[in-house]
Amino acid sequence: DLVRSRGLGDVYKRQLLSGGGLYNELSQPRLFNVTFSNNVVSDPGNGDGGGIYNVSSNPLLENVRMQNNTARDDGGAIFNQGSNPTLKNVVLFGNVANDDGGGIANTQNSTVSLNNSRLENNRAGNRGGGFFSDTGTATIINSIFSSNTATNGGGGVYGNESALTVSNSVFYRNNARGLEYRSTLSTIRSAITNSIFWNNIGTTDSQIRNVTNNRISFATGVLEGGSGRGIITTDPLFVD
């Protein structure tokens, strides 16, 4: 049940069904100082998790880099199904999903903890360029979402019927909005605090699009075009 991988090295250029680099089922792997790169899952109907596929698992990823992995369907870097992964000091760069979750796809009541991490230049053919959550829970702390792209919304993050808690994080230059959120369930609430949303791109509500019933709140932070107590609207002057 427990795999400890320290200094494992690269998991490079594998082509498999779901879980191009690693497939976890009913397991608790601990991965440290590992790179997953150029892995591809291309099988129709089994094309989730270009880098890692988690099902009913509780993995820990620390100081892990996931780069240029590709999923035919969901989760260019990571796909979660009924799992509870913890990510610390993780970089997800240049991963691609043809459908949802260019970086991460979170499904079936999965709970993700993302801390001190960077999701950059990931791309989804549908929703959630950096991160996509459907009926899940996510806690995002001290993390950066930059230059991620999604064709149909949520360039940085897309949440559907999911509880999102975002704090001390940056959303910058994501395309099809920084964050998009949909929930019709009165029992689900999401919150953003002490975060920066700037220069994200969208035809309307380019920073944050709250589609249904105001079930996500923004308090204290920098929000381009925003208003209200505790909200700063001046350019943070990021340097590339």
Side-chain angles (χ1 to χ4, degrees), residues 43-61:
D43 186 70
N46 294 286
D48 299 320
I52 298 175
Y53 187 106
N54 298 309
V55 55
S56 302
S57 295
N58 303 310
L60 168 65
L61 281 68

Side-chain angles (χ1 to χ4, degrees), residues 11-31:
V11 181
Y12 175 73
K13 213 169 186 177
R14 296 183 180 175
Q15 293 183 308
L16 301 170
L17 304 182
S18 294
L22 180 65
Y23 185 98
N24 298 313
E25 184 172 3
L26 298 171
S27 62
Q28 303 178 58
R30 305 293 187 256
L31 304 177

Side-chain angles (χ1 to χ4, degrees), residues 27 47 127 132 142 147 173 224:
S27 62
R127 302 166 296 178
F132 171 82
N142 296 330
S147 301
R173 283 187 179 172
E224 184 177 8

Side-chain angles (χ1 to χ4, degrees), residues 55-79:
V55 55
S56 302
S57 295
N58 303 310
L60 168 65
L61 281 68
E62 188 166 352
N63 298 322
V64 171
R65 183 177 182 90
M66 308 195 71
Q67 180 171 326
N68 299 332
N69 301 287
T70 302
R72 178 187 175 95
D73 297 318
D74 301 328
I78 301 171
F79 181 88

